[in-house]
Amino acid sequence: MFRLKQKHSRHPAAAKPAEVSVTALLDDQSVRGAVLGGLGALLIVHLFWAYSAVLLDKVFPWMTIVQGAVIGMGVQRLGRGIDWRFPLIAALWSFPAAFTGNLVVALSLTANAAAVGFFDVLAGLSVSSLQKFFGQTISGVDIIFALCSIALATFFAKRRLTRAQANALHKHELKNAH
């Protein structure tokens, strides 16, 4: 009377798997989309990080790691890539973002404390003040967070394929290798 719907057929020959187009998978890749996805994710996390630091009057250095994951997801979502270029793009966005995030947070907290605009503080920066800031604030822990950020960004950057897509891509690569 109350029978659950079967998820798998009792007759495996009756259900044929759908054909996967490898050319469609390869054509869906977009380097431009990956670059824009990484940049958009970077900007969103920078803004969120700076806003939360000003609102709570506290700096969260672990946001660097979260930032790497979000950058990787942005590259994955808009890039839809399946080759080595997309983790590289995510890593190239994630590395400088780990350090510029600290700068954006510091500028936001300084602007809030001085009761001036963010861009007023940004306009007052010089090369020597940037060198001094990064020399005094970047520590070994920040570098470890940056490396973790890069690792997460590269992990999340590639498109997740279904089993059928992965098998079709593998067969395509084997066929083209010979």
Side-chain angles (χ1 to χ4, degrees):
M1 179 169 159
F2 296 108
R3 188 174 183 139
L4 295 175
K5 181 181 172 186
Q6 286 185 328
K7 292 187 179 184
H8 302 287
S9 172
R10 291 186 184 186
H11 306 286
K16 289 186 178 180
E19 287 292 321
V20 175
S21 172
V22 176
T23 56
L25 282 175
L26 296 174
D27 290 342
D28 279 348
Q29 297 184 110
S30 171
V31 172
R32 180 177 16 177
V35 170
L36 293 176
L39 177 63
L42 181 149
L43 293 174
I44 288 170
V45 173
H46 272 23
L47 290 174
F48 176 76
W49 191 2
Y51 182 73
S52 66
V54 169
L55 186 65
L56 300 172
D57 198 29
K58 190 171 185 173
V59 179
F60 303 105
W62 49 264
M63 281 292 290
T64 303
I65 297 171
V66 173
Q67 179 174 250
V70 173
I71 288 172
M73 290 178 200
V75 169
Q76 178 191 95
R77 178 71 62 171
L78 293 181
R80 300 188 53 79
I82 54 179
D83 62 16
W84 60 270
R85 297 175 295 174
F86 298 91
L88 179 65
I89 291 168
L92 291 175
W93 275 124
S94 183
F95 181 70
F99 302 110
T100 59
N102 289 330
L103 178 65
V104 168
V105 168
L107 291 175
S108 299
L109 290 172
T110 303
N112 188 46
V116 296
F118 174 83
F119 292 105
D120 294 331
V121 176
L122 185 63
L125 288 179
S126 65
V127 174
S128 65
S129 62
L130 285 174
Q131 288 174 343
K132 190 169 189 166
F133 171 78
F134 285 119
Q136 290 181 353
T137 59
I138 302 301
S139 66
V141 172
D142 292 313
I143 293 170
I144 291 171
F145 282 165
L147 293 174
C148 291
S149 173
I150 292 168
L152 282 174
T154 57
F155 176 77
F156 285 115
K158 287 178 87 174
R159 178 180 178 181
R160 303 296 176 241
L161 300 175
T162 64
R163 180 173 294 195
Q165 291 171 332
N167 287 338
L169 186 63
H170 183 67
K171 286 178 187 177
H172 176 75
E173 290 171 351
L174 287 176
K175 186 174 88 174
N176 288 340
H178 295 296

